[in-house]
Each structure stands twice: as C-alpha cells, then as structure tokens.
Amino acid sequence: AWSGSDNPAGLQSPPVDHPNFLGNQFSLLVQVPFAMTLKQVTQFPPNITVDNIQIIIENTIIPALNRSIEHLSRVELNTDTKLTIQFDDGVITDTYVIDLGEIYFFDASIHALRAAFKMAVSYDMDILGPDGTYAWIDALTELDDDLWCPSHEIVSAGGIDSLKLYYDNNYNEGRMDSIGMRVVHHNLENRTEFLKLKDDGSTMISARDDIFTMIDKLQSSVAFIRGRNNESEDNVIKLSNLTDLDNNLPGENPPNFAASFSSIEDVLSWVETSLLGSDGVLFTENIGPLNTPYTWRMKLIVLLDGSIGDWKELLPYHQWNLPAGPWVEKSLNYINCWNSTYWSGEVIVGDECQWMEFSDIDYFCNYYYDSYVNIDNLIQLLDAPGGNVVDMGTLEFPYFEDYTFGGLFPEMTSHSQWVNLINILTE
C-alpha cells in the first residue's frame, strides 16, 4: 500500500501477497489496472460530492486509462513481444514470462475498468438537498451522534407532585428518515437532470464499445495462448489454465443457455452475440419452488446504448403527499408509573442531556413514545397516471408506464405478466 505522503487520498492498492502473489495466474493482470488507476488520484477535494467524484473520473482516471490503452496498442503491433520479470526477496526467486497472451488479457482488463468508470459518469447522480448542497449529510451525521434524553414536566394536583418523563425512543431515527425523504423528493421532483443521461449518451456508448473491445481482446488472448509454439513454464497464463477452464464447462447443473458451452470461446461468443446482441437473449428455464418452465427475453444492450435516457421515467406511477407540518409522527408505546413519596434525586433530562435535581416527588411516570416517518403517507403508489391510490401491503406488483423497463425485457409488456412471474417465483 502507498504511504500517506504518496497517497493523500488514503487509498490503498489491492492486496498482493509476495512471493506467491500469482498463485492465481490472473491476479496480477486483474489487480494492476486498478492499482494504476488509484495511483493517478493524488488528492480529493475537501468536500466530496458525487459530482466531484465524477469530475475526477473524467479528468484524471479515464485519461490515465486512455494512455495505458494507447501504449498497449503499440506493444501489440509486435507479435514477438516477450517480457521476463523476476521477483527476488532474498529467499525465493520467482520468474514470470509475459507475451501477447498476457498483454491481450491485461488490455481487456483495462478496457473493462474504463467501461465501468465511463458508466459511472454517464448519468447525473448528484444527490443534492433542497438547498442545492450536501449539507443534509452533515445533518444526518450530527443526528447520528446526538444523544436524546427525555423531556419532563412536574404536575401538581391535590397536594401531589408528579414527575413525568417523556422518552422518545426513535426520535433521531425519525428525523433522519425525514431528511432522507426530503432529499429524495427534491431530486426526483425538482431536479430534471437527476438520473438523466449526460452528453447525449456518448460516454455510455463509448463504454459499450469498450466492453466489446474487452471481449475482442480476451478472444485474441485465448487464440494466442492456444497457438503458442514455445510456451514457457513461467508464462503467467498457460495453455493448461485454459484447458482447465474448458474442462469445467458447462459446470454442474448449468442453466439451459449454458448447457452447450464447451470452451472459453463458446462463452465469449455467447456474451458478444447473444447476451449483448441487438436481439437480446431468449432464456427458457425452470424457475420457482415448483420448477415451472418459463421463457423470457432480456436485451442487456439497452443498458449500454443510451436507450434509457432518464431513469426517472421508469419509476412506478406515484404521487407525493407531503404534510405542511412536521413529517415525524409519534405514537405512545406504553406508560410506567409508580408511587415515590417525597422522592428526591437527579435525573438526566432535556435536549442537552443535563442532570437536574428534583425533590419531594410523590408520583413518578415514564412515557415511552415511538417516532417514525410514515413513508406510505408521504409517497403513494397509483394504478395509473393520476389514478387511484393502491395499498402497498396487498400490491403484488407496482403499475408502470413501461413494463419493459426501457426495453430491457422487451416481451414483458403488461402488469399481468409481471404478476404471473411473481406468482411463479413465490407459489
């Protein structure tokens, strides 16, 4: 791991156990791109926001990955590329050979990482409070740290002094839920850009291209390793590693779509042409407690081609019903009272949780309340735009404008189809 001076952000590199850090032959090739990426981040701004993190990714991390990919493309032009690396800790000397087989795999890892970062910045995910800042996080932190002590009053009647203590067991939790709901409402209702695709989807489409390039690089890696004429026993990825993976396919009790897999190439081809294909993939499996045969189509590519321009449009029909007064509701749980003739002593009370002295108390009562935010009252699900409120407790599946969810499930076009699927899964 880097020291604090080398890494002010406090990030740590992935764990590497030397000398046997390549016990899994692929560990170095998977870990190094991530470690290289973190190394580019020298410092974070003092006030972390989603927008700040996305800016760091766009201005620092992705350009660093771009440079790595550019360097690797030059190396890959030389088909005879071979590099020997030795690690010597004074006790054991380990030798590793890297050729185009490993370099293609390394390149695939970097493309996968770059795709993930591009996806992370493709939508506006800034979660701002109603004041346009992240002050709501500080408010939550303060509430989480606060002590909550009972309020009190002394009631005198008929010569009897009663001390009443009012305990609010979940007051801070209720206030935290209230803040959270205000933030959710503000972003969904007042920020049109929230959860919307940025830059006309070009970054997301670029991420899609990176994923397809990743598959191409993996296919090139496998082809090169299978075609080696002079494999070294020190190669990081050996032919035997691929053979072992082939022999484990399709696995024990595979799903129907994987039953014909017999090689890594089969898997990569299926991902490229079916799972990420323009028509999606048709699944036919036995699902649910009764192993009921069920067929559905999933078109995963819509998550990567910019088809979903605004995730807010995929939410169920709903309406907000925000009270004008406090959102935190309170209900009396139980009361515990007893005689305490002429009792004197100290009790911690008040917002500041301070000791207060009482004397000549004849009757003692503790009132225990539960505080909560009734989310069902704040936001209600509807059966149509501006339609009837539905009971969340009995609702089998919410009502949506788009039951395909942006084309992800292109053949699931009705509420009844989803209800039927849920019944199969739970019957």
Side-chain angles (χ1 to χ4, degrees):
W2 298 298
S3 67
S5 59
D6 292 331
N7 180 28
L11 300 171
Q12 290 190 337
S13 56
V16 176
D17 297 323
H18 183 69
N20 192 30
F21 72 101
L22 285 176
N24 177 342
Q25 287 84 350
F26 307 112
S27 61
L28 176 65
L29 300 181
V30 172
Q31 291 172 354
V32 166
F34 184 68
M36 290 170 55
T37 300
L38 294 185
K39 193 66 175 177
Q40 300 299 317
V41 183
T42 57
Q43 65 181 34
F44 276 105
N47 297 318
I48 297 298
T49 67
V50 174
D51 185 56
N52 285 339
I53 293 175
Q54 288 185 325
I55 290 173
I56 290 173
I57 292 174
E58 292 171 331
N59 294 343
T60 303
I61 294 178
I62 290 178
L65 294 173
N66 293 343
R67 292 191 294 271
S68 297
I69 289 173
E70 182 181 352
H71 295 325
L72 285 171
S73 66
R74 295 173 185 170
V75 173
E76 290 164 6
L77 294 175
N78 184 356
T79 57
D80 295 326
T81 297
K82 181 176 289 189
L83 176 66
T84 300
I85 302 174
Q86 284 191 335
F87 295 93
D88 189 346
D89 63 0
V91 178
I92 298 176
T93 299
D94 292 324
T95 301
Y96 302 100
V97 173
I98 296 175
D99 58 21
L100 276 184
E102 288 84 9
I103 290 171
Y104 283 134
F105 188 94
F106 184 58
D107 199 348
S109 299
I110 295 180
H111 274 89
L113 190 61
R114 189 172 70 172
F117 279 119
K118 287 179 179 178
M119 293 169 66
V121 301
S122 291
Y123 287 90
D124 184 311
M125 293 184 289
D126 233 5
I127 308 175
L128 302 174
D131 62 353
T133 74
Y134 274 79
W136 62 272
I137 294 181
D138 295 331
L140 289 178
T141 303
E142 291 171 3
L143 285 174
D144 192 42
D145 293 337
D146 276 353
L147 296 174
W148 180 252
C149 296
S151 59
H152 77 283
E153 67 173 338
I154 296 177
V155 178
S156 297
I160 296 176
D161 290 335
S162 299
L163 174 60
K164 297 185 177 183
L165 299 178
Y166 301 98
Y167 290 87
D168 203 330
N169 294 328
N170 306 300
Y171 181 68
N172 282 347
E173 288 83 352
R175 293 172 68 190
M176 292 169 72
D177 289 343
S178 174
I179 292 172
M181 288 302 296
R182 286 187 186 276
V183 171
V184 171
H185 171 263
H186 170 70
N187 284 278
L188 290 179
E189 298 299 310
N190 301 329
R191 294 189 60 235
T192 57
E193 67 274 23
F194 181 58
L195 297 182
K196 240 182 174 182
L197 197 64
K198 300 194 297 187
D199 55 38
D200 297 323
S202 60
T203 301
M204 181 62 80
I205 291 174
S206 179
R208 176 203 63 188
D209 295 342
D210 276 349
I211 290 175
F212 280 112
T213 301
M214 173 199 71
I215 296 172
D216 291 341
K217 296 296 181 181
L218 289 174
Q219 290 170 330
S220 296
S221 174
V222 171
F224 187 91
I225 293 169
R226 291 201 195 279
R228 278 183 184 141
N229 295 321
N230 56 344
E231 180 174 273
S232 167
E233 63 178 12
D234 295 323
N235 269 109
V236 176
I237 307 176
K238 304 178 182 62
L239 178 60
S240 60
N241 301 135
L242 304 187
T243 303
D244 289 342
L245 291 174
D246 292 342
N247 292 337
N248 287 323
L249 292 172
E252 186 176 351
N253 299 319
N256 291 333
F257 71 85
S260 62
F261 291 168
S262 62
S263 67
I264 301 171
E265 290 90 336
D266 291 342
V267 177
L268 293 175
S269 176
W270 178 82
V271 172
E272 184 176 34
T273 60
S274 296
L275 187 61
L276 297 178
S278 58
D279 295 327
V281 59
L282 192 67
F283 294 95
T284 300
E285 304 291 341
N286 295 326
I287 63 175
L290 301 181
N291 289 320
T292 305
Y294 191 82
T295 299
W296 75 99
R297 184 179 300 276
M298 185 171 70
K299 193 174 176 183
L300 196 62
I301 194 64
V302 302
L303 299 177
L304 303 172
D305 64 5
S307 295
I308 301 178
D310 188 346
W311 283 97
K312 297 192 298 298
E313 296 175 355
L314 303 184
L315 295 175
Y317 294 126
H318 65 277
Q319 68 180 13
W320 291 89
N321 183 31
L322 306 181
W327 292 9
V328 180
E329 301 180 36
K330 189 181 295 187
S331 63
L332 181 61
N333 195 334
Y334 68 95
I335 305 173
N336 183 22
C337 297
W338 65 93
N339 290 319
S340 56
T341 306
Y342 302 121
W343 176 88
S344 297
E346 291 184 325
V347 179
I348 296 180
V349 294
D351 292 343
E352 301 299 325
C353 290
Q354 294 179 339
W355 288 96
M356 181 173 290
E357 187 173 347
F358 299 91
S359 61
D360 298 331
I361 299 300
D362 301 302
Y363 205 63
F364 219 111
C365 274
N366 288 332
Y367 293 78
Y368 295 92
Y369 289 87
D370 287 327
S371 292
Y372 56 92
V373 172
N374 193 332
I375 295 177
D376 291 353
N377 288 344
L378 296 181
I379 184 169
Q380 299 166 331
L381 295 183
L382 308 176
D383 60 3
N388 299 314
V389 175
V390 295
D391 183 357
M392 293 189 189
T394 60
L395 184 64
E396 292 181 287
F397 192 76
Y399 294 88
F400 292 84
E401 180 179 354
D402 179 10
Y403 290 101
T404 72
F405 295 100
L408 181 61
F409 304 101
E411 296 175 0
M412 299 289 283
T413 58
S414 69
H415 182 265
S416 59
Q417 286 176 289
W418 284 102
V419 171
N420 178 54
L421 174 58
I422 289 173
N423 289 335
I424 291 174
L425 294 173
T426 58
E427 64 186 1

